[in-house]
Amino acid sequence: MILDVIKERAKKAMLEKDTVARDILRLAQGEIQTAEARNEKPVTDDEAAAIVRKLVKSNNETMTNSEDAEQKKILAREIAVLEALLPKSMSHDEILAALAPVHAAIKEAKSDGQATGVAMKQLKLVGAVASGNEVAAVVKTLRS
């Protein structure tokens, strides 16, 4: 479970006196525990991964808007620590291969949105991890 990995890595970061990793891992742990308290049940790995992705997105936005080189360096390190917790996302070619069984359905869909829905359903069925933007790009390639 992602929460267990976060706790383990936070302890390791504490022992190694890696304050950047320790702090961002504690923040992620706190966000997950807050979600558990709100829902009054443990979060799933998918929900925990979504929380971590949200933190990565937030750091990316802050890094884009920041002009402070030191802050950008810290944010980049935090992003690397958080991304190491997430499952590896599929590449363009891997998505294309995974969508081979539904290629005809994607081409026959009335719109790109419907075609993307077919693609996402297939990827979820096979347990693939892919970003929505990447899937949409693959769908556009298949439909053209």
Side-chain angles (χ1 to χ4, degrees):
M1 185 168 205
I2 290 180
L3 185 57
D4 296 332
V5 173
I6 290 172
K7 288 178 182 179
E8 180 182 309
R9 290 186 184 177
K11 283 182 189 176
K12 183 178 177 189
M14 255 190 302
L15 293 173
E16 294 174 355
K17 299 187 184 338
D18 183 350
T19 58
V20 173
R22 180 199 67 205
D23 292 347
I24 195 65
L25 289 168
R26 281 185 176 170
L27 176 65
Q29 181 179 347
E31 291 288 325
I32 292 169
Q33 289 173 337
T34 299
E36 287 179 338
R38 276 193 197 120
N39 298 334
E40 297 178 355
K41 64 178 179 149
V43 298
T44 64
D45 269 352
D46 288 341
E47 293 167 334
I51 291 168
V52 172
R53 275 193 290 279
K54 182 179 172 187
L55 291 171
V56 169
K57 183 179 178 183
S58 174
N59 275 8
N60 275 323
E61 290 172 358
T62 303
M63 195 162 75
T64 302
N65 296 329
S66 177
E67 295 180 13
D68 182 10
E70 185 63 28
Q71 184 184 23
K72 283 185 174 187
K73 182 180 171 186
I74 291 169
L75 289 169
R77 172 83 170 98
E78 288 179 352
I79 290 168
V81 169
L82 291 171
E83 285 180 338
L85 298 168
L86 298 171
K88 187 177 179 313
S89 189
M90 295 175 80
S91 70
H92 185 86
D93 293 333
E94 292 170 330
I95 295 169
L96 198 56
L99 295 178
V102 293
H103 183 79
I106 290 172
K107 279 196 166 215
E108 293 170 3
K110 293 179 182 175
S111 68
D112 284 348
Q114 288 179 346
T116 302
V118 170
M120 293 301 282
K121 186 176 180 180
Q122 172 66 18
L123 292 172
K124 188 172 185 173
L125 186 71
V126 297
V129 176
S131 76
N133 291 339
E134 189 65 33
V135 174
V138 171
V139 166
K140 282 188 185 258
T141 302
L142 289 174
R143 289 177 56 86
S144 59

